[in-house]
Amino acid sequence: MSKSAQHEIVKLRDAIRRHDRLYYVESRPEISDLEYDRLYKRLEALEAEHPEFADEASPTRRVGGEPIEGFVTVEHRVPMLSIDNVYNEEELAEFGARVVKQIGPDPVEWLAEYKVDGVALSLIYEGGRLLRAVTRGDGRRGDDVTHNARTMGGVPLLLESPFPRVLEVRGEAFISNSDFAHLRAEHERRGEEPLKNSRNATAGAIKLLDPRECSARKLRFYAHSVGLLEGAEFATHWQFLEAIGRMGLPMVPGTAVRPSFATACEYTQELMQNLHALDFEVDGIVLKVNDFALREQMGTTSKSPRWVVAFKWEKYEAITRVEEISVQVGKTGTLTPVAHLAPVEIAGTTVSRASLHNRDEIERLGVQIGDWVVVEKAGKIIPHVVRVEEHRRDGTQRAFEFPIRCPECQTEVVQDEGGVYIRCPNPACPAQVRESLRYFASRAAMDIEGLGTELIAKLTQPPALVKSFGDLYRLGEHRDEVARRLYKAGSKKATGAEEQKLIDGLLAGLEASRGRPLWRLLTALNIRHIGTRTAQILAEYFGTLDALAEATEEQLAAVNEVGPVIAKSLFDWLHSEVGRTVVEDLRGLGLNLGSATEARAKAAQRAAGKLAGKSVVVTGKLTRFKREEIEQLIHDHGGKPAGSVSKKTTFVVAGDDAGSKLTKAQELGVQVLTEDQFVELLKVD
C-alpha cells in the first residue's frame, strides 16, 4: 500500500507543478480551480497519512509553516542596483544617443518589458530547490523572506529540469488588481481599514512574520533579471528568460526583443496601448541591452548599469462611479462596451467615458453598473478602468449582460473565430451603415467636404434619407428635407440664403468626390483589412475595379504586400451580393471605378518621380502638411511611405518632437530632412 501511496503522491505533485506552470508561466490553464483544489486536497490527505514521504518542495508546503520570530539580514552576492529613469521621449532619445556614443552606431538588440509596480525580490535556487528569498533592501543587503516567498504564485519550490547548480532570479512580487479589489472588500467586511494601494499591500505582506497571513494576500511573482549563476551560461537575456520559463518561472507578460534601441522604443508605444488589458500595476517600461557580453563591456555607474533604462510616466488616478454601460457598434460590426462614468477630473481633463474593449475585459474586471472604479490616465494613454472598488458595493449594483443580439438591428451577434471580439454580421445594420458612411466621407477616404459626423447622424435617423453609399449622391433629389435636417443638426437657425449656401456646399463636395481616384474608393468601401496603403497597391496593379473583380483569390494574394488574408477578404466582398450591389450602384452614379490607361500613366509617372524606389519615413509634428498629405506626396513622386526606419530607408522627414524613429535614423546613419528640405527636394509649392 505504501508504494502505491508513494507513487500517487509523486504523480499528484508532478501534476500540480505542471498545472502551476500552465497557470502562472504560460497563462493557459487546462483545468478549473475546483479540479485543481481536488488534486491539492487529495495530495494533502495522502501526505498526512504517510508522513514518511514528506518533502519540503511539495506544493502543499507553500503554506503552513510556523511564524518566524524576526528577519535575518542577508548580503546579496551580486548587488541589486537601481535603474536610471527617464520621463519623456526626449530624455529616452538622449539615453539612446549616449549608448550609441559609447558602443558605436551598429544596432544591437534591446529587450522591452513592463516595469511592474511591486516589490523587488531575489530568489536563490540550489540544486533546483528554493533555498532563499531576499528583499532588495539597500541593494547590498536585504531581509530573508523565504517563509513568505514560498506562498507566492509563480515561485516554484522545485524547478523543472534541467536547471543550473545555482540560480538567482530577480523579479517583482505584486498583488493583481483583481485580487487587491477582493482583499479590500474582505477588509471592509471585517470592519478593518481597506488597504490603500497594491504596492503597499505587497510590501506589508512580505514583511509579515506569519506565512499564513501572507498567503491570504495572494502575492504573485514575475521574473525579469539574473543575479548569481553557476553551472550554466547564456549569451543573451532572452535566452535566460526562455530557460527559466522552461524551469517554471514566469517572465513579465509582453516582454519582447527588438533589433535596435529605436525599434524597442517603438514597441513601448504598443505596450502602453495595451495597459488596459493588464491585471497588475505598471509604472513604466524597462529597456535593456539583450547581449550579456555587451552589458559587461558597458559596465555600471556608482548607482546603476549603463545598459538599462526605465521609461516612466506620471500616473493620475481618480475614483468615480459607473453610471451605465452601453455597447457601440463600429463600421465593421464590432460591439464595444463603453462605461459611462460620473464626470471626474484626471490630470486636468474631465473624464466621463472609458472603453471596456470587449466582453472578456468586463469579466476580468468584474465591473458592474453602479460600481465605484479606479480610473487611471498614464502618460499620453487614454483613461482606462484599473479595478473595481468592491468594498464600496452596497447591493444596488447590477451585472451587465453582454447582448446576444445587436443593439441596433437585433441581429444575433457572432464571435470572431479564435478571437475576443463579438460582431454584428448584418451589413445593413443602421449602426454599421452610419459608421461606414462617416468613414466613407472622411479625409482618409473620399474626403467629402461638408459631410460631417453630426449631419450623417441626422441623415440616417428614421426615416433614413441615406441607407447606402449611393444614397449620398442622390441627396440632391431631397434638398428640402436635407435643409430641414441640416439646420436641426446645427446650433442655430440659418437664414434662407445661408441654408442654400450650406446645401450647395455639401452637394458640391459630393459632386467633387465622384472623380476621386480608385484607391480612395477602395479605402472608403469599408472592406476588412483594406487600408489606404493596400488600396493604393491594388489600384495601381489592377487599374480598375472590374479588373479586381475578375482576379482570382490567388492572383490577388500574389500581389506584393497583399497576401492571402487580405486577398480572401477582398475577393469575398467583391463577389458577395452586397459587394456587387454597391459597385453597380456607384457605377450608375458615375463614380470613378478606375482606368487601366490612367493607372499605367500614373505608374509611369511614379517610376520617373524623384522618389522612385525610395523608402521615406515621416516622424514628429509637421507644420506644412497633414500626415496623410505628405505620405500621398511621397507616393505620387514614386516613393514608398514607410512606417519604420531600417537600413533600407532612404531618408527620414522629421518634424518637431521627433522621437525613436529619429534616434534610429541617427543610429543607422540615415539622412534626415526637415519639411523645408523635403519641399525643396521635390520643388513643391
Side-chain angles (χ1 to χ4, degrees):
M1 172 64 188
S2 94
K3 279 198 173 182
S4 172
Q6 183 181 22
H7 179 69
E8 187 177 357
I9 286 171
V10 170
K11 282 186 67 176
L12 283 167
R13 286 172 180 168
D14 288 344
I16 290 171
R17 290 188 187 110
R18 177 176 177 275
H19 289 303
D20 283 344
R21 173 196 171 92
L22 289 169
Y23 184 87
Y24 291 109
V25 181
E26 300 181 25
S27 298
R28 55 180 189 92
E30 289 182 350
I31 61 175
S32 67
D33 290 348
L34 179 61
E35 291 171 303
Y36 180 91
D37 289 342
R38 284 174 179 161
L39 293 175
Y40 194 92
K41 289 183 186 303
R42 175 60 180 163
L43 178 58
E44 279 186 319
L46 283 171
E47 288 179 337
E49 291 173 16
H50 300 276
E52 67 272 22
F53 301 133
D55 186 341
E56 284 299 311
S58 171
T60 60
R61 301 303 296 267
R62 285 189 171 280
V63 188
E66 293 302 312
I68 65 170
E69 294 184 2
F71 293 99
V72 175
T73 300
V74 177
E75 186 167 345
H76 295 297
R77 292 170 67 179
V78 177
M80 294 181 73
L81 300 179
S82 59
I83 299 176
D84 277 343
N85 299 324
V86 297
Y87 290 91
N88 54 55
E89 290 184 359
E90 184 177 324
E91 291 178 355
L92 189 61
E94 288 172 359
F95 172 83
R98 289 197 299 273
V99 171
V100 170
K101 188 174 180 180
Q102 182 183 6
I103 66 174
D106 290 339
V108 298
E109 287 186 337
W110 286 75
L111 183 138
E113 68 190 8
Y114 287 116
K115 187 175 183 299
V116 181
D117 192 8
V119 175
L121 194 64
S122 174
L123 306 178
I124 298 98
Y125 289 85
E126 288 192 6
R129 289 174 176 257
L130 179 64
L131 175 70
R132 185 175 293 115
V134 186
T135 62
R136 182 179 181 277
D138 63 4
R140 302 287 173 181
R141 298 184 306 168
D143 291 330
D144 186 331
V145 292
T146 311
H147 64 298
N148 285 331
R150 293 173 66 90
T151 74
M152 295 179 190
V155 177
L157 305 182
L158 181 67
L159 297 177
E160 294 185 35
S161 182
F163 43 75
R165 184 171 60 256
V166 177
L167 171 67
E168 181 183 3
V169 176
R170 291 167 177 180
E172 293 289 320
F174 66 97
I175 301 175
S176 70
N177 288 329
S178 51
D179 283 337
F180 184 63
H182 299 330
L183 281 171
R184 282 168 64 88
E186 182 61 30
H187 279 220
E188 180 80 8
R189 281 192 290 272
R190 295 200 301 255
E192 301 171 4
E193 186 175 344
L195 302 163
K196 293 194 181 305
N197 59 62
S198 61
R199 190 186 187 284
N200 288 350
T202 302
I206 284 178
K207 287 304 186 76
L208 291 169
L209 298 177
D210 189 340
R212 290 166 295 193
E213 291 183 22
C214 181
S215 175
R217 295 206 182 174
K218 298 185 178 179
L219 270 63
R220 293 186 58 174
F221 177 83
Y222 281 145
H224 58 56
S225 299
V226 59
L228 185 68
L229 186 63
E230 295 179 2
E233 290 186 4
F234 302 101
T236 68
H237 193 92
W238 184 250
Q239 287 178 4
F240 166 75
L241 290 177
E242 287 186 314
I244 64 172
R246 291 190 291 269
M247 297 175 206
L249 286 151
M251 73 172 81
V252 180
T255 300
V257 175
R258 290 294 181 265
S260 68
F261 183 72
T263 53
C265 289
E266 290 175 6
Y267 182 58
T268 65
Q269 301 304 310
E270 183 178 332
L271 290 175
M272 290 175 73
Q273 293 294 338
N274 289 327
L275 285 178
H276 67 85
L278 304 179
D279 194 26
F280 54 89
E281 293 285 346
V282 168
D283 64 349
I285 294 169
V286 177
L287 302 178
K288 55 183 77 168
V289 169
N290 191 33
D291 187 275
F292 282 149
L294 190 53
R295 289 184 184 182
E296 191 72 24
Q297 176 188 325
M298 295 175 72
T300 65
T301 66
S302 59
K303 291 195 255 183
S304 57
R306 293 190 176 94
W307 44 263
V308 61
V309 67
F311 178 28
K312 300 184 74 174
W313 52 73
E314 294 290 342
K315 289 199 303 183
Y316 301 94
E317 288 186 347
I319 296 175
T320 187
R321 194 166 192 170
V322 178
E323 296 182 331
E324 190 54 77
I325 297 176
S326 65
V327 172
Q328 295 180 342
V329 182
K331 61 185 174 66
T332 60
T334 304
L335 272 61
T336 303
V338 176
H340 297 263
L341 309 170
V344 63
E345 187 169 302
I346 306 178
T349 303
T350 299
V351 175
S352 59
R353 289 157 60 92
S355 173
L356 295 173
H357 302 283
N358 52 61
R359 182 176 60 187
D360 288 4
E361 181 80 348
I362 292 177
E363 291 176 357
R364 182 184 70 79
L365 289 167
V367 64
Q368 298 182 14
I369 298 165
D371 267 334
W372 291 90
V373 294
V374 175
V375 181
E376 177 184 283
K377 190 176 188 303
K380 299 177 182 178
I381 304 304
I382 60 175
H384 63 279
V385 175
V386 177
R387 68 175 183 273
V388 173
E389 296 285 83
E390 291 185 13
H391 66 285
R392 297 186 67 170
R393 284 182 172 164
D394 56 11
T396 63
Q397 289 73 23
R398 64 185 194 279
F400 173 73
E401 297 289 337
F402 204 93
I404 59 174
R405 293 188 176 277
C406 173
E408 292 269 353
C409 69
Q410 299 306 305
T411 301
E412 189 171 338
V413 298
V414 296
Q415 185 163 359
D416 285 353
E417 188 175 347
V420 298
Y421 291 104
I422 295 171
R423 301 179 190 275
C424 168
N426 174 19
C429 169
Q432 290 188 58
V433 170
R434 184 171 61 248
E435 291 303 307
S436 295
L437 289 167
R438 184 189 61 76
Y439 182 66
F440 185 90
S442 69
R443 181 175 280 113
M446 294 297 278
D447 193 15
I448 302 174
E449 196 71 32
L451 188 57
T453 301
E454 194 173 357
L455 178 55
I456 287 172
K458 296 295 180 181
L459 295 173
T460 53
Q461 280 182 352
L465 271 182
V466 177
K467 297 180 180 178
S468 68
F469 301 140
D471 285 346
L472 290 171
Y473 297 93
R474 287 183 278 268
L475 284 175
E477 302 169 12
H478 309 282
R479 285 184 67 100
D480 291 344
E481 179 60 17
V482 173
R484 189 181 71 79
R485 299 195 187 200
L486 183 62
Y487 303 114
K488 195 175 178 183
S491 59
K492 63 179 183 178
K493 179 68 176 173
T495 66
E498 288 173 331
E499 287 182 0
Q500 295 308 312
K501 184 177 179 181
L502 287 171
I503 294 175
D504 288 344
L506 170 62
L507 296 179
L510 285 162
E511 187 61 32
S513 73
R514 292 180 197 261
R516 298 278 189 256
L518 175 60
W519 70 264
R520 281 192 172 274
L521 180 59
L522 272 177
T523 303
L525 289 175
N526 192 32
I527 305 168
R528 286 188 72 187
H529 307 304
I530 306 293
T532 300
R533 173 65 183 161
T534 305
Q536 288 175 337
I537 291 169
L538 290 166
E540 287 175 13
Y541 190 91
F542 290 95
T544 69
L545 200 55
D546 289 337
L548 273 168
E550 290 169 4
T552 65
E553 201 171 317
E554 291 73 21
Q555 288 171 328
L556 292 171
V559 177
N560 186 37
E561 297 187 47
V562 175
V565 173
I566 295 173
K568 176 171 174 50
S569 178
L570 177 59
F571 184 87
D572 288 349
W573 190 89
L574 287 170
H575 293 83
S576 69
E577 184 178 347
V578 169
R580 287 193 295 265
T581 299
V582 168
V583 170
E584 289 311 307
D585 190 25
L586 296 179
R587 186 196 308 278
L589 289 163
L591 272 73
N592 178 17
L593 303 188
S595 160
T597 302
E598 184 180 333
R600 285 193 294 270
K602 286 189 175 180
Q605 180 183 344
R606 292 189 69 252
K610 292 187 177 181
L611 302 180
K614 294 179 170 57
S615 175
V616 184
V617 173
V618 181
T619 185
K621 297 176 183 175
L622 306 179
T623 57
R624 299 183 61 157
F625 300 96
K626 292 184 173 64
R627 183 58 59 94
E628 62 268 17
E629 291 173 344
I630 196 168
E631 291 183 350
Q632 185 59 44
L633 199 58
I634 293 166
H635 180 80
D636 290 345
H637 283 76
K640 177 185 175 182
S644 58
V645 181
S646 70
K647 290 180 179 179
K648 296 180 180 179
T649 303
T650 308
F651 52 79
V652 170
V653 180
D656 295 336
D657 299 327
S660 58
K661 293 178 184 178
L662 176 59
T663 303
K664 186 171 184 181
Q666 293 166 338
E667 286 178 2
L668 297 176
V670 174
Q671 183 181 2
V672 178
L673 301 178
T674 64
E675 279 185 89
D676 290 341
Q677 289 170 329
F678 174 75
V679 170
E680 180 63 25
L681 174 68
L682 299 183
K683 297 294 183 185
V684 177
D685 293 330

